[in-house]
Amino acid sequence: MAKRKRLTPAQPGFLGTSQAAPETKAMPVGMNAPIAQVAGEASATAALAEVSEALATARAEGRMLELLDLDVIDERHLVRDRLEQNEEEMESLVESLRARGQQMPVEVVALPDAAGGRTHGLISGWRRLMALKRLYKETSDPKFAKVRAMVITPDTAQDAYVAMVEENEIRVNLSHYERARIAVRAMKEEVYPTQRAALQGLFANATRSKRSKIGTFMMLVDAFDATLWYPSAISEKLGLALAREMVRDPGFADALKERLKETPRDSAGAEMRVLAQAVTERQPPAPAADPEPAPRPRIRSTAQNPAKGERIITQVTAGIEMRFTPDQSRIELVGDGVTEALVELIQDAIRRA
């Protein structure tokens, strides 16, 4: 067997120098990192910054969904335009959420001053939020404890109101009173400077005629919002009639408010009857109709051969019949139209003849 050669460590000066090899000093981390590693770290940092920017943009543009606790949303952030909630519709929504979960997100805005733990204000989706709260209270199921929300950043308060109005115009049939009420409240909160600006801003897609009617209903909101119990039941015709009377008589609104306070109103129908009666009572009486002229005499013969002994019956008016005997020796007048005055008139004519 061949012997293995034993290698001895290199001696100092082996490389042609008599000095010992210098010690290798520790270098700071990254100082001697490969170029590929440095480039990879820079690329990851840039990608993270890009993702962060994309997320921030998506959140600002309202394209990011978040799960928020029900309690952190202030549902009164905006004055709601829906005054009444149909219980049957709400029950249907509750059952839908129970069976399928929340399909459509609500829209919220982050609040700069999170008073009372409310970090977000509701823009649209009030019915969905209320239905989830009802479900969570009923079941205590954690899956109903949060709401899927789209966090948007409206440029102005006007944009927030428009977003709410547009969704409700699509999803529910608002009454003219409810539309007018949100316009009035937006003006009071100085979102819009004038009534015209409010109508143009909130209902830009409506016809001019519709905006005009909403503007007329704003008079009712200003006058009766604190008094009416079922204002969304006011029909277009009744609302316009009420506004017309308010213009005609400045004291009409105050008188009607007192009447409403004194009248029991246990339903929308009862309240509408009070309003309708107030309008009816102020209508001018209809002009008296001219008396119908007396019908002119008409003559119609039914049997024309007295020589053969046939009776002749001639109808003179609608209420009188003249009956001749076969020998024509006698004439009979019968019917409701035969009066004493007519008898005297005929006798006088006979005497003159």
Side-chain angles (χ1 to χ4, degrees):
M1 179 181 293
K3 293 184 179 180
R4 293 179 179 177
K5 187 175 180 180
R6 185 174 182 180
L7 300 177
T8 58
Q11 301 297 320
F14 176 76
L15 297 178
T17 176
S18 60
Q19 296 180 356
E23 295 182 4
T24 301
K25 295 182 179 180
M27 301 294 291
V29 177
M31 292 294 290
N32 59 348
I35 294 177
Q37 180 181 347
V38 174
E41 292 176 352
S43 177
T45 302
L48 180 61
E50 184 178 352
V51 170
S52 299
E53 182 180 355
L55 290 175
T57 302
R59 179 178 286 107
E61 294 178 354
R63 293 184 286 108
M64 178 175 289
L65 297 182
E66 299 184 22
L67 282 177
L68 301 175
D69 291 335
L70 297 175
D71 294 337
V72 304
I73 299 179
D74 182 6
E75 66 270 16
R76 299 182 181 179
H77 173 61
L78 295 182
V79 179
R80 311 322 301 176
D81 52 0
R82 193 66 174 168
L83 294 177
E84 297 178 9
Q85 180 58 57
N86 185 289
E87 183 60 26
E88 184 176 348
E89 293 178 357
M90 178 58 79
E91 286 291 342
S92 297
L93 179 57
V94 167
E95 294 307 316
S96 175
L97 291 172
R98 190 196 307 273
R100 303 174 59 240
Q102 183 186 354
Q103 302 298 310
M104 294 293 295
V106 303
E107 288 185 336
V108 298
V109 60
L111 300 177
D113 182 15
R118 307 280 182 163
T119 59
H120 293 78
L122 184 67
I123 300 297
S124 64
W126 182 85
R127 294 172 67 248
R128 277 160 281 167
L129 181 63
M130 294 299 103
L132 283 170
K133 286 188 173 184
R134 183 181 295 191
L135 276 170
Y136 183 62
K137 182 178 180 180
E138 174 189 331
T139 65
S140 300
D141 192 329
K143 69 180 180 181
F144 299 128
K146 294 181 180 293
V147 59
R148 184 179 291 109
M150 184 177 291
V151 183
I152 65 175
T153 307
D155 293 333
T156 64
Q158 295 180 7
D159 293 334
Y161 272 90
V162 170
M164 177 185 65
V165 170
E166 286 183 347
E167 175 175 308
N168 281 333
E169 285 289 348
I170 294 172
R171 296 182 178 277
V172 291
N173 184 25
L174 296 176
S175 67
H176 278 336
Y177 190 96
E178 290 168 319
R179 296 185 181 100
R181 185 174 184 269
I182 194 64
V184 169
R185 297 303 295 267
M187 286 180 57
K188 289 182 177 180
E189 295 184 8
E190 300 181 352
V191 176
Y192 294 97
T194 64
Q195 174 175 315
R196 181 177 180 181
L199 292 173
Q200 289 283 359
L202 294 172
F203 307 102
N205 297 324
T207 63
R208 180 180 299 179
S209 174
K210 184 175 182 179
R211 286 198 299 270
S212 176
K213 292 172 183 177
I214 296 172
T216 301
F217 268 76
M218 291 174 72
M219 297 174 56
L220 305 184
V221 175
D222 281 329
F224 301 109
D225 201 44
T227 308
L228 292 170
W229 294 351
Y230 308 95
S232 60
I234 299 176
S235 66
E236 178 181 310
K237 180 179 179 181
L238 178 57
L240 296 179
L242 289 168
R244 184 171 57 248
E245 293 303 320
M246 291 172 63
V247 173
R248 184 181 301 173
D249 179 6
F252 173 74
D254 290 336
L256 181 53
K257 283 190 285 189
E258 290 300 319
R259 185 171 185 170
L260 286 167
K261 293 176 182 178
E262 296 172 358
T263 306
R265 293 165 284 153
D266 56 355
S267 66
E271 186 166 87
M272 295 308 103
R273 284 191 291 272
V274 176
L275 300 179
Q277 186 176 359
V279 172
T280 302
E281 291 174 353
R282 299 177 64 83
Q283 298 303 312
D290 294 334
E292 294 184 3
R296 301 181 67 179
R298 295 177 313 208
I299 299 176
R300 180 171 60 85
S301 299
T302 58
Q304 287 88 8
N305 198 349
K308 295 182 179 181
E310 296 177 350
R311 174 179 294 184
I312 298 177
I313 301 177
T314 303
Q315 182 172 326
V316 179
T317 67
I320 303 175
E321 287 183 351
M322 298 181 65
R323 299 178 179 177
F324 294 82
T325 57
D327 59 359
Q328 300 187 26
S329 62
R330 184 178 178 184
I331 300 175
E332 295 180 355
L333 300 180
V334 296
D336 296 335
V338 179
T339 63
E340 294 294 335
L342 178 61
V343 172
E344 292 179 1
L345 181 63
I346 294 174
Q347 290 176 346
D348 182 62
I350 294 174
R351 284 195 297 270
R352 290 182 182 180

